[in-house]
Amino acid sequence: MKKFLELISEEMGKGFEAAGYEAQLGRVTVSNRPDLCEYQCNGAMAGAKKYHKAPIMIANDVAEKLTDSAVFSEASAVAPGFLNLKVKDSFVCEYLKEMAAAEKFGVEPPEKKKTIVVDYGGPNVAKPLHVGHLRSAVIGESIKRINRYKGHRVIGDVHLGDWGLQMGLIITELKARKPELPYFDESFTGEYPQEAPFTVSELEEIYPTASGKSKEDPAYKEAALEATLRLQSGDRGYRALWKHIIAVSVADLKKNYSNLDVEFDLWKGESDADPLIPGLVNRLKESGLAYESQGALVVDVKEDTDTKEMPPCIILKSDGAALYATTDLATIVDRMENLHADSLIYLADKRQEMHFVQVFRVAKKAGLVTPETELKYVGFGTMNGKDGKPFKTREGGVMRLEYLIRDIDEEMYRKVSESRHDLSEEEARKIAKIIGLSAIKYGDLSNQASKDYIFDIDRFTSFEGDTGPYILYTIVRIKSILAKYQEQGKSLENLCLEEAQGASEKDLMRQLCSFNAMMDSACEETAPHKICAYIYDLANAFNKFYHETKILAEEDQKKQAGWIALLKLTKEVLETCIDVLGFSAPDRM
């Protein structure tokens, strides 16, 4: 299905052509002066130089050719050469009918269905999720859902930090605390216990303790490095202990991610790439790309077009240890060979841009990916408190993500309880949890990913303004009207949209018409904030129409049914949008 603006632009192009000018000058945009017109075309300004003619003369010529247009009810030329346009109510209505009947409201499937891997840049195991993990989870989940809606095959990988020194630190501290465990007995040949010798709470306390000790005690750090080497070399006991660490951590992570309604198809980590590193290193050496520099193995990635310094990518340190770049490159090999990826999208803090530029360039130069493979890095800004600094607890520490979710849910429960005395506590808490998730996700996603933003609980949980709860309140309002319509003994099936009766109704209809173009744009640009901006405008358009129209009191049955059809479509589009953003709406609130 063609996009609404494409159809209008085609009609405008015919007007230019009929007047003796190039059809491509007829590109139409939404008016930036809605008080004057609905759409505008600036083609006459662009054509003035080519045709050696005043823009207003060209605009007048074109406007004259559009007097009998099937699309425009008004096309007027205004100085110095703009074309102000209004679209016929009948044209808007017919487009919406086609959109309502189309699959996915007219969003076309991709010309080529891609296999896309979304790397959420996951957390380190043995550590609790904190607020710093929120953005990668929320943005990554939405990007995954947007691409799936478009029709691509999308694989989400949490990509855990489960390898390296942190593992050695945990094992060293466990050995100091419980030296009697069989994992540390080199003569032990039996089966290791199936149950982990620690809880997730103990594990979360062990790591920071071990990390602190290693900074103060060189011998302790040396022991941790030795434990890391033994683990990575395949020590049987250490590997069994490591599997316990992973199992306990992942079980806890799944619970926390579930509270965010975030799901992964793969629970892979850096450890999965480790067996591929020797082959990768040999490949880089044999191709002549990798060379030794100050004892380390590096690959030059500088390009002539670089405007700032671009250091070589370090593949192996002087002691032979691999780095994040090595692991990421080995993971690319895995994703190309086993998942046959066409596109790799990485979520990470925007301060890691240099790392990804280096990794992507090595991958391209070494032929780890095809020339057509898309490598995309979505760098996100920080989530800050009201003081403009990274979000902290009142005590100044990094806040655990589960505590942030709990605080939001409690605030929403307080608001729901105050406004709805007819709800049981159980139902009020259930509704509060749904609204709370919208507050968190919309609060994050409504900002462009690369920008820092202020996490303001008071604003994000408000039922007014550009917030998740406001969007949900709008959906629930529509649900309520549709339910009351059915209570009157009328059906929501086989409803027919009618031409707009007033300005606010037409504005709502026009807003709906731009859904498929917006969704395509959000997908192409990996930009969930565009969906947020769209549904905020759509919710505003609906609420203006609602306040000006007595829908359920309307006696003209045909007119009323047309309005109900419009409400039903608005609800379905809003629900589709919030689903790809990663949250849902309750039936009442």
Side-chain angles (χ1 to χ4, degrees):
M1 182 176 175
K2 281 195 174 177
K3 298 179 177 74
F4 191 66
L5 277 179
E6 283 178 3
L7 291 173
I8 302 175
S9 295
E10 281 178 11
E11 179 72 4
M12 180 56 68
K14 289 175 189 172
F16 270 89
E17 217 164 30
Y21 307 107
E22 287 180 345
Q24 58 257 43
L25 291 171
R27 194 173 78 85
V28 173
T29 57
V30 176
S31 173
N32 55 17
R33 286 290 306 276
D35 54 319
L36 298 177
C37 58
E38 296 167 348
Y39 301 93
Q40 64 190 63
C41 174
N42 303 337
M45 307 289 284
K49 192 173 181 181
K50 178 168 184 178
Y51 292 101
H52 307 291
K53 212 168 183 180
I56 192 65
M57 293 174 70
I58 296 174
N60 275 318
D61 291 345
V62 175
E64 194 180 320
K65 298 295 181 184
L66 293 169
T67 49
D68 297 323
S69 168
V71 174
F72 300 112
S73 59
E74 186 182 311
S76 55
V78 293
F82 301 117
L83 280 154
N84 285 356
L85 310 165
K86 284 189 178 174
V87 177
K88 284 185 173 177
D89 296 349
S90 56
F91 183 77
V92 174
C93 186
E94 286 308 309
Y95 186 86
L96 266 194
K97 283 179 181 176
E98 187 184 346
M99 181 179 141
E103 191 176 348
K104 295 185 179 179
F105 309 110
V107 172
E108 290 286 333
E111 287 180 23
K112 178 186 180 291
K113 184 177 178 178
K114 294 179 187 174
T115 293
I116 300 170
V117 179
V118 178
D119 184 319
Y120 288 67
N124 290 322
V125 299
K127 291 185 187 177
L129 288 177
H130 58 75
V131 292
H133 296 116
L134 178 70
R135 300 214 71 191
S136 62
V138 168
I139 299 167
E141 184 69 14
S142 183
I143 288 171
K144 180 183 76 180
R145 291 179 181 220
I146 291 167
N147 279 282
R148 277 186 184 161
Y149 187 79
K150 178 65 181 169
H152 296 295
R153 174 182 176 239
V154 191
I155 301 163
D157 183 4
V158 65
H159 202 63
L160 296 167
D162 64 351
W163 209 232
L165 180 59
Q166 73 192 64
M167 294 294 120
L169 285 165
I170 293 165
I171 291 169
T172 302
E173 184 60 22
L174 274 168
K175 189 175 183 179
R177 295 182 185 195
K178 301 178 181 181
E180 74 284 356
L181 289 174
Y183 311 96
F184 306 118
D185 181 356
E186 291 182 31
S187 63
F188 184 79
T189 56
E191 290 292 317
Y192 291 108
Q194 289 194 341
E195 196 170 321
F198 45 74
T199 64
V200 70
S201 300
E202 288 171 329
L203 193 58
E204 288 171 358
E205 180 269 325
I206 285 169
Y207 176 72
T209 301
S211 182
K213 282 185 181 179
S214 74
K215 287 170 186 163
E216 312 240 326
D217 184 349
Y220 189 93
K221 185 170 184 180
E222 192 57 42
L225 288 166
E226 171 65 24
T228 306
L229 182 62
R230 283 182 63 176
L231 168 68
Q232 295 184 353
S233 300
D235 182 285
R236 184 170 166 264
Y238 284 21
R239 282 289 172 104
L241 202 50
W242 172 75
K243 284 176 182 174
H244 283 316
I245 295 168
I246 301 299
V248 169
S249 292
V250 166
D252 188 61
L253 288 170
K254 283 185 175 178
K255 182 185 75 179
N256 280 288
Y257 278 122
S258 176
N259 287 334
L260 278 175
D261 201 7
V262 171
E263 292 181 351
F264 305 105
D265 304 289
L266 299 175
W267 282 83
K268 288 200 169 191
E270 293 171 272
S271 60
D272 290 289
D274 190 64
L276 300 170
I277 288 175
L280 167 73
V281 171
N282 286 337
R283 188 168 171 179
L284 293 173
K285 283 179 178 176
E286 287 167 7
S287 67
L289 289 170
Y291 66 94
E292 208 170 288
S293 173
Q294 298 178 347
L297 190 70
V298 303
V299 173
D300 281 331
V301 291
K302 191 177 188 316
E303 293 179 358
D304 294 338
T305 51
D306 290 335
T307 55
K308 56 186 178 183
E309 190 181 350
M310 181 59 63
C313 181
I314 302 173
I315 305 300
L316 295 176
K317 292 198 295 186
S318 55
D319 62 0
L323 294 94
Y324 284 125
T326 330
T327 307
D328 279 341
L329 287 164
T331 302
I332 287 174
V333 172
D334 177 42
R335 288 168 177 167
M336 294 303 293
E337 290 182 357
N338 296 314
L339 301 177
H340 310 293
D342 300 298
S343 175
L344 302 174
I345 301 175
Y346 292 80
L347 279 295
D349 187 301
K350 66 182 178 184
R351 289 168 292 190
Q352 293 190 39
E353 183 180 8
M354 175 74 80
H355 167 80
F356 285 100
V357 170
Q358 290 181 318
V359 167
F360 292 170
R361 287 185 182 182
V362 173
K364 290 279 187 186
K365 286 178 80 170
L368 306 184
V369 295
T370 67
E372 300 77 36
T373 308
E374 179 188 46
L375 298 171
K376 187 178 283 190
Y377 159 60
V378 179
F380 51 80
T382 54
M383 175 182 135
N384 298 325
K386 288 184 183 179
D387 58 359
K389 295 174 182 175
F391 200 86
K392 303 276 187 186
T393 62
R394 285 176 188 164
E395 294 75 37
V398 178
M399 181 179 272
R400 287 175 70 140
L401 189 51
E402 64 182 292
Y403 297 162
L404 177 74
I405 295 170
R406 180 197 64 195
D407 289 351
I408 292 275
D409 287 352
E410 283 300 320
E411 178 61 16
M412 289 317 321
Y413 172 66
R414 184 185 67 77
K415 290 187 175 184
V416 171
S417 298
E418 285 177 0
S419 61
R420 292 294 301 266
H421 301 293
D422 58 323
L423 298 175
S424 67
E425 182 183 349
E426 184 185 2
E427 189 171 4
R429 287 202 175 276
K430 187 179 174 185
I431 290 170
K433 191 174 175 67
I434 295 170
I435 304 170
L437 188 60
S438 81
I440 291 170
K441 288 196 168 185
Y442 189 92
D444 189 301
L445 294 169
S446 56
N447 301 278
Q448 196 170 334
S450 60
K451 293 182 178 175
D452 300 346
Y453 76 95
I454 303 292
F455 193 92
D456 184 340
I457 288 180
D458 294 333
R459 185 171 76 80
F460 287 3
T461 58
S462 172
F463 287 92
E464 295 176 358
D466 191 5
T467 69
Y470 169 68
I471 302 299
L472 297 197
Y473 187 74
T474 302
I475 295 171
V476 170
R477 173 176 272 168
I478 298 173
K479 284 184 177 181
S480 173
I481 297 167
L482 296 179
K484 286 174 183 172
Y485 181 77
Q486 287 178 295
E487 285 166 13
Q488 294 177 358
K490 298 166 186 172
S491 173
L492 296 178
E493 300 302 314
N494 303 315
L495 295 167
C496 185
L497 286 155
E498 300 291 334
E499 289 181 27
Q501 303 291 311
S504 64
E505 184 180 358
K506 189 179 181 185
D507 285 345
L508 174 57
M509 293 173 89
R510 288 196 305 113
Q511 191 66 33
L512 284 166
C513 286
S514 60
F515 168 79
N516 50 19
M518 176 281 300
M519 194 61 84
D520 274 354
S521 177
C523 185
E524 282 169 29
E525 298 173 35
T526 50
H529 70 277
K530 291 196 166 191
I531 299 174
C532 294
Y534 173 80
I535 57 176
Y536 179 55
D537 287 343
L538 182 59
N540 283 338
F542 164 74
N543 283 312
K544 189 170 189 298
F545 166 66
Y546 166 78
H547 287 300
E548 291 180 5
T549 314
K550 292 189 167 40
I551 299 166
L552 292 171
E554 177 57 52
E555 293 180 1
D556 185 325
Q557 297 295 300
K558 188 181 178 192
K559 189 189 286 188
Q560 187 188 53
W563 285 340
I564 293 296
L566 180 59
L567 263 63
K568 187 166 175 269
L569 180 59
T570 304
K571 177 185 84 78
E572 289 167 354
V573 167
L574 283 169
E575 286 179 328
T576 296
C577 289
I578 65 171
D579 183 61
V580 297
L581 291 174
F583 56 94
S584 58
D587 290 325
R588 55 181 184 157
M589 57 194 274

